[in-house]
Amino acid sequence: MNSNKKINSVVTTVLACAGILGVFMGVGYYSFDHFRPQLLTTVFSNVDKKLPYGVTPAEEYFSGGRGGTTFNHTSRTFEQPAPVLTATKDIEKAMIISQRFEDGEAFFETINVSDPDAPSSGLGPVYNKTTCISCHPNYGRARRTDSFSQDFGNGYIAMVHTEDNKLINTVKFMLQTMAVPPYKPPVDKVHITWNDYVDKYDNKYPDGTSYNAGKATEGTLTFPTATLEGVNVPLPEGYRVSLEATIGIFGTGLLDAIPDEAIVAEAKRQAASPGSVKGKTGAWVKEAHDGKKHLGRFTWHNTRATLQGGSGFNGIWSVSNLTREDRPQLFASQAWIDQQEALGLDTEPLTQKQPVEMTGEDMDVFMTWHRSLAVPAARNLDKPEVQRGKAVFNAIGCASCHKPNWTTGEYPLLPGYNNQKIWPYTDMLKHDMGKENRGFTTFFRTPPLWGRGMMRTAVDHTDMFHDLRARDFEEAILWHYGEAKEVREMFRQLPAEDRAAVIEFVKAI
Amino acid sequence: MRKSFLCIAGFTGILAVLAVGGLASLSAVDTRKYIADKVVDEVLDDYLNRVVVPGLDSLTDSLMDLNKITQELTTQPTEQTPLEIAKAWRVARGEWNKTAPFWFGPAIYYGLDLQISAWPIDEPLINRSLQQIAAGEMEVDAQYLRDPLSMSQRGFHTADYLLFRNGQARHLDDITAAERRYLSATVQAMTEDALSLEARWIGFEHLADDKKSVLKASAVKIDDMNFGKEFLLAGSSESRYEQKSDALLEIFQEAVGAAEGMCPAIIDSFNNDNYKYGLAWYNQDEIGEYQNGISGLENAYYGGEEGNRESSISELVAAHNPILDKKIAIGFADFKYRIESLKNVKQLSKEQRDLLTRRAEDSCLKLEARIEVGMNTVFALPNVLP
């Protein structure tokens, strides 16, 4: 008995000790002060909550291919360099390229001034904006606005043209509204008016719910028109003014790497296919940088061919009027120079050879940055709603124009972009979008959809379409007319859950 | 009694052992994720409430003070007024430089960092406007500076041009009536823009009443953004950040960015014969520019002001690599020392200037690189090569 008591006592004591130890362990387990340093070694990965560190995501997550996708989903997602840019074992080389990327970025972000003694001088004498980033806020798309102002984020350009879509040459294709004194701009002001639009269904779906149901914009669609005030150069009777807005600039190097032949083949495929979708290629453009002909693929109308001759590169000349080594002349019309002369101003500085404000080396650095901006990786592709949205997206014909993927060709300017499978969701072709979307023309290039879901995170808006008439994804779909009218109608006919699923899919890619 | 105690203790022990066993049966991944999420929450919370919110509050307080004194320049100026404005400008400028590590989100959405501190400024255009104001051809106010004028004609550096010469406040009599009106307008615009930045971080309704009044009276658009709330709710449907780690990455990359912003300007600020390549054209306080910049960066890395710090990204770096965290601390100290050593550098020989500015630049680059390595250690973004 004594011995049993002893054993009991020992067991009880051991249990008591274990208990006290256990309590301490339990407390200690969640005591951050004690354990945190060891447990904090978790590695954070932004790919997907379901994917543990070390697991490579599925191919479709790599919107910009293995070499051109960033998994950085912060508010700076649109300004990340493509991983391939510095993918070399030569550390010194990688550092030099990285520095070139940053230097190129500085051209995009800097404020250009007219002060010849200050850095980044060269603004004007006639211009639109003082800095690229003002029209491409945070590297993304321009923001909807009701005034054609100098406000940051207003990325509208005004195109002045005839009724039959011919640009008027007394103002350049990108109307300038600013000038460095004493010079006066060709036009003093552009006024924007927002107009209501009601479709034949009274802006309602077949199930009776209004477009934009539950939002402040419920039941409404709007579109902008523009007029000029203070026209100082001759314009023909009946001229028209159309607005177009900037789009995101990331991923353009990858689009540049798609072979011309592949785009032509896609146009032929569409032409041979039944249905209304018949995309047209851009014209073949002989480009100054290599003297060769390339297929038009950039701008809303496929008017620019390669990125080297493309709108971004062109913009630094035409928006702030920085004269380049290869373009020593001003971006100004003769009519504007005549106007200055008529005002009694000294026009000699306007007609003589201009000083180089951007050297060849500057341009190379700028292009290193421009072509290597990465595309944000897709997200949430495994979610059932997104998968459902993908199926519906394909079923109703969105993918007819928003071609999901391409394979890039040989791209000597950045060999890491060679043979990449990319997911831009564009066919790179122009489509007739109907009279409802008439601007300078009714034909617009299918814009890439990649990264759209990151717009709110990166730019704090979801304004889309050529003139930003669409305030969000739903409106963007509802503004599809012309060749896409049938797809619009099919979208309208979908149950609400499927409409939402399509939008979730577009947000995910 | 003793037996009862031992029995109770024994049962407690069994329960505790079972509890620990239960906890241990949870997968290591879940446990680690739980801990990591909790720590990230603390880091985000402290970053918002100990770094961003007080930083913006101090900035807008100082700008409100500057704005109030500057308006006196057009109403009841005395010889002291420019001196007081200059003093207030330096305080506000210091607060502004400390905010560099949180120029993400609202600041870059609306280009507020670019507009509040536009650089370089366009002196010929400003001078032209001053002539027009003097000739009665133009009335200038904060909104006119925003449009039709552009950002190169307003902000801290424009105020610097109108207020200082050779490191000193200009004499009252030297400041023309047009310059006084222009200075008032530019300070007003800066104040409004900074208030809109604060409002977007904390939500307009949480702004102090006097600040609300200024913003309401301005032409600045007031929206319902409460970015700070979304920052804390990262990973939930109420936030634009799909994952907590996205918000955490903002802190790291912006700290790197703030350092990156300082390094390339050092040589131009202290060793370029053209003062327009520097950051302090007329007030000439280049040292202050950097000291405040470093102070802001330290706040971001350590999660608050000295003496009021808790969870921070420093802790995350230290957990992975304590030596790296120490090296970052040494980097801060070295960078501060190198900047301090540039105090009278412009009076030294060219060789000495070259040497000291290069050392300061190297120190800055080293600090930037270390913070970047820290970021890459904590994050492992897939960087899959083709």
Side-chain angles (χ1 to χ4, degrees):
Chain A
M1 191 66 182
N2 274 350
S3 141
N4 278 350
K5 255 187 182 178
K6 213 170 187 177
I7 290 167
N8 276 345
S9 177
V10 168
V11 168
T12 313
T13 307
V14 166
L15 281 175
C17 291
I20 292 160
L21 185 67
V23 169
F24 275 110
M25 280 174 71
V27 172
Y29 194 81
Y30 283 103
S31 164
F32 293 152
D33 288 342
H34 187 69
F35 280 91
R36 190 148 80 171
Q38 288 80 39
L39 291 168
L40 276 186
T41 51
T42 295
V43 176
F44 299 100
S45 174
N46 284 33
V47 184
D48 190 277
K49 283 175 182 169
K50 291 174 187 164
L51 296 174
Y53 173 61
V55 174
T56 304
E59 182 183 58
E60 216 168 331
Y61 279 92
F62 289 88
S63 305
R66 300 284 163 139
T69 302
T70 176
F71 285 84
N72 179 326
H73 291 127
T74 66
S75 59
R76 294 201 184 270
T77 184
F78 292 160
E79 59 184 276
Q80 301 300 316
V84 77
L85 183 68
T86 50
T88 168
K89 286 177 182 168
D90 183 342
I91 300 292
E92 199 173 329
K93 193 176 169 193
M95 285 176 72
I96 290 168
I97 295 172
S98 184
Q99 189 57 51
R100 285 175 72 81
F101 179 87
E102 284 173 22
D103 292 347
E105 183 182 66
F107 280 107
F108 175 78
E109 293 190 356
T110 197
I111 300 173
N112 297 300
V113 293
S114 66
D115 184 350
D117 298 328
S120 60
S121 65
L123 178 71
V126 60
Y127 65 99
N128 266 312
K129 290 284 176 73
T130 57
T131 171
C132 306
I133 199 169
S134 183
C135 295
H136 300 273
N138 212 15
Y139 297 61
R141 300 167 76 89
R143 182 175 288 119
R144 203 171 143 115
T145 175
D146 50 13
S147 72
F148 195 85
S149 64
Q150 289 295 305
D151 282 351
F152 185 91
N154 169 26
Y156 276 128
I157 61 162
M159 303 172 91
V160 185
H161 55 94
T162 60
E163 189 68 23
D164 57 347
N165 306 339
K166 290 194 174 63
L167 288 168
I168 294 168
N169 63 8
T170 50
V171 289
K172 302 296 275 189
F173 68 85
M174 199 183 276
L175 177 69
Q176 295 148 319
T177 54
M178 304 294 288
V180 174
Y183 300 110
K184 308 282 183 198
V187 170
D188 294 336
K189 279 185 179 172
V190 178
H191 291 289
I192 298 173
T193 306
W194 285 94
N195 311 277
D196 291 328
Y197 177 80
V198 181
D199 71 4
K200 65 179 180 181
Y201 307 109
D202 202 24
N203 288 355
K204 284 182 178 160
Y205 291 104
D207 61 11
T209 53
S210 296
Y211 300 160
N212 289 323
K215 305 177 210 165
T217 52
E218 181 159 343
T220 66
L221 292 173
T222 59
F223 66 98
T225 48
T227 52
L228 306 183
E229 178 191 323
V231 178
N232 304 313
V233 291
L235 291 178
E237 280 291 307
Y239 71 84
R240 295 182 70 234
V241 186
S242 295
L243 295 173
E244 284 187 8
T246 57
I247 61 170
I249 49 175
F250 57 87
T252 39
L254 289 158
L255 298 179
D256 200 28
I258 298 172
D260 287 340
E261 312 81 65
I263 300 173
V264 171
E266 173 61 18
K268 283 182 182 166
R269 189 197 65 75
Q270 289 187 11
S273 301
S276 59
V277 173
K278 307 287 177 196
K280 291 183 171 51
T281 62
W284 289 89
V285 183
K286 189 175 178 184
E287 296 224 325
H289 65 91
D290 63 0
K292 292 179 185 167
K293 281 193 167 184
H294 301 273
L295 190 65
R297 66 177 67 192
F298 291 114
T299 77
W300 280 106
H301 311 288
N302 277 350
T303 50
R304 300 277 169 196
T306 67
L307 202 60
Q308 197 74 22
S311 45
F313 200 26
N314 200 44
I316 209 155
W317 175 60
S318 55
V319 174
S320 293
N321 226 331
L322 295 191
T323 44
R324 300 183 347 198
E325 201 166 287
D326 62 336
R327 292 184 192 175
Q329 73 279 22
L330 290 176
F331 183 73
S333 70
Q334 187 57 48
W336 176 74
I337 295 173
D338 294 345
Q339 175 217 353
Q340 306 309 302
E341 195 163 9
L343 289 168
L345 300 170
D346 179 11
T347 54
E348 202 186 325
L350 306 178
T351 50
Q352 67 192 17
K353 194 181 173 201
Q354 302 296 312
V356 171
E357 290 154 350
M358 206 172 172
T359 65
E361 169 62 11
D362 291 341
M363 294 190 295
D364 281 350
V365 162
F366 179 75
M367 291 310 292
T368 298
W369 162 81
H370 194 353
R371 74 170 66 90
S372 53
L373 283 169
V375 181
R379 300 154 323 283
N380 304 316
L381 294 178
D382 297 334
K383 280 188 177 174
E385 191 185 9
V386 172
Q387 288 183 339
R388 173 73 190 154
K390 180 182 178 181
V392 178
F393 181 90
N394 290 324
I396 65 174
C398 303
S400 307
C401 299
H402 289 286
K403 178 175 156 40
N405 60 61
W406 291 89
T407 301
T408 59
E410 298 297 310
Y411 195 60
L413 293 163
L414 183 52
Y417 278 179
N418 290 351
N419 309 312
Q420 297 285 295
K421 189 166 186 184
I422 60 172
W423 300 78
Y425 291 86
T426 170
D427 58 6
M428 304 297 284
L429 300 173
K430 290 185 290 181
H431 295 271
D432 186 347
M433 293 298 284
K435 64 181 187 325
E436 294 84 352
N437 284 300
R438 187 174 175 199
F440 161 58
T441 161
T442 59
F443 281 85
F444 296 93
R445 185 193 73 166
T446 309
L449 295 181
W450 55 15
R452 294 291 178 99
M454 292 307 298
M455 283 178 67
R456 204 171 150 258
T457 309
V459 208
D460 194 41
H461 73 80
T462 50
D463 301 335
M464 287 175 264
F465 249 60
H466 62 282
D467 55 9
L468 305 172
R469 60 181 60 199
R471 288 165 287 198
D472 58 20
F473 294 91
E474 181 183 0
E475 288 192 14
I477 297 169
L478 290 168
W479 275 112
H480 279 65
Y481 283 99
E483 291 178 36
K485 198 174 172 183
E486 287 168 24
V487 177
R488 177 192 199 262
E489 192 49 33
M490 289 175 83
F491 176 78
R492 287 186 68 259
Q493 298 289 340
L494 292 172
E497 307 78 59
D498 282 350
R499 292 198 303 265
V502 170
I503 291 170
E504 284 308 303
F505 171 65
V506 178
K507 282 182 182 173
I509 56 178
Chain B
M1 188 66 188
R2 182 173 169 272
K3 191 176 173 187
S4 306
F5 168 76
L6 287 174
C7 279
I8 291 165
F11 281 119
T12 311
I14 290 164
L15 286 174
V17 167
L18 287 174
V20 170
L23 285 171
S25 71
L26 286 172
S27 80
V29 172
D30 288 343
T31 312
R32 187 161 283 209
K33 188 177 176 327
Y34 173 82
I35 302 283
D37 278 357
K38 193 155 170 52
V39 172
V40 171
D41 283 344
E42 288 175 6
V43 172
L44 297 182
D45 193 284
D46 282 345
Y47 186 77
L48 178 69
N49 292 308
R50 290 173 192 273
V51 181
V52 180
V53 173
L56 288 173
D57 189 43
S58 299
L59 170 68
T60 52
D61 279 352
S62 63
L63 278 168
M64 294 276 282
D65 290 344
L66 172 63
N67 195 24
K68 195 175 163 197
I69 306 165
T70 306
Q71 303 314 316
E72 287 174 15
L73 201 57
T74 54
T75 53
Q76 42 184 355
T78 68
E79 288 200 350
Q80 282 301 306
T81 310
L83 297 172
E84 286 170 15
I85 298 173
K87 194 174 162 191
W89 183 95
R90 288 185 195 280
V91 173
R93 179 70 189 164
E95 295 299 338
W96 171 252
N97 281 326
K98 287 181 196 168
T99 65
F102 40 96
W103 292 346
F104 60 89
I108 53 173
Y109 294 156
Y110 297 95
L112 292 168
D113 53 329
L114 281 179
Q115 297 177 68
I116 294 170
S117 189
W119 182 96
I121 57 165
D122 202 324
E123 279 184 9
L125 292 186
I126 295 169
N127 291 338
R128 176 75 182 183
S129 295
L130 290 170
Q131 285 168 12
Q132 288 180 297
I133 295 167
E137 297 165 6
M138 180 202 280
E139 276 300 319
V140 68
D141 62 16
Q143 188 52 24
Y144 193 85
L145 288 178
R146 291 192 185 95
D147 184 55
L149 302 191
S150 53
M151 60 178 93
S152 57
Q153 296 161 74
R154 67 177 194 272
F156 270 109
H157 297 281
T158 294
D160 169 58
Y161 170 53
L162 298 169
L163 190 56
F164 294 96
R165 287 294 179 274
N166 303 317
Q168 304 295 322
R170 293 169 73 194
H171 192 274
L172 179 67
D173 297 339
D174 296 337
I175 308 174
T176 66
E179 287 174 327
R180 293 176 197 185
R181 295 218 292 278
Y182 200 114
L183 181 60
S184 301
T186 201
V187 170
Q188 177 78 27
M190 280 156 60
T191 307
E192 292 168 0
D193 287 342
L195 286 171
S196 81
L197 178 60
E198 185 179 14
R200 284 183 166 125
W201 265 99
I202 67 173
F204 177 77
E205 70 277 14
H206 297 119
L207 219 50
D209 287 344
D210 56 339
K211 294 177 180 177
K212 263 188 203 159
S213 306
V214 172
L215 205 48
K216 268 186 186 166
S218 76
V220 172
K221 192 183 161 203
I222 299 168
D223 54 35
D224 57 1
M225 184 188 282
N226 185 332
F227 191 80
K229 188 178 167 193
E230 289 192 51
F231 187 73
L232 292 185
L233 292 172
S236 79
S237 59
E238 291 175 65
S239 172
R240 69 191 72 205
Y241 292 113
E242 290 182 6
Q243 296 185 45
K244 281 184 195 301
S245 55
D246 295 334
L248 184 67
L249 183 56
E250 294 271 30
I251 306 177
F252 271 102
Q253 80 181 1
E254 222 56 26
V256 175
E260 195 180 281
M262 284 191 273
C263 307
I266 291 174
I267 289 179
D268 277 337
S269 289
F270 294 96
N271 197 14
N272 190 322
D273 292 335
N274 183 349
Y275 66 91
K276 289 192 173 176
Y277 280 74
L279 297 172
W281 293 6
Y282 299 103
N283 69 81
Q284 296 186 348
D285 185 16
E286 286 91 356
I287 296 284
E289 290 281 319
Y290 281 90
Q291 285 174 332
N292 287 306
I294 298 168
S295 168
L297 187 53
E298 273 186 312
N299 292 346
Y301 186 73
Y302 293 111
E305 299 236 329
E306 184 81 58
N308 185 23
R309 290 172 173 156
E310 285 198 12
S311 297
S312 69
I313 57 172
S314 159
E315 189 183 3
L316 299 177
V317 173
H320 285 267
N321 187 342
I323 294 170
L324 177 61
D325 184 55
K326 291 271 188 296
K327 279 188 173 176
I328 290 172
I330 293 166
F332 272 116
D334 185 63
F335 187 27
K336 279 192 264 189
Y337 168 75
R338 297 293 172 193
I339 290 298
E340 190 70 21
S341 70
L342 296 175
K343 241 176 190 164
N344 297 310
V345 74
K346 287 182 180 168
Q347 292 155 20
L348 302 177
S349 68
K350 176 88 173 75
E351 288 73 24
Q352 286 172 305
R353 280 207 314 264
D354 287 348
L355 181 70
L356 290 175
T357 48
R358 261 207 319 273
R359 279 182 179 163
E361 189 190 46
D362 284 350
S363 176
C364 183
L365 290 169
K366 211 175 273 180
L367 176 63
E368 178 197 334
R370 286 172 183 173
I371 299 174
E372 193 164 5
V373 171
M375 175 172 77
N376 293 334
T377 308
V378 174
F379 286 86
L381 302 182
N383 200 5
V384 183
L385 303 180

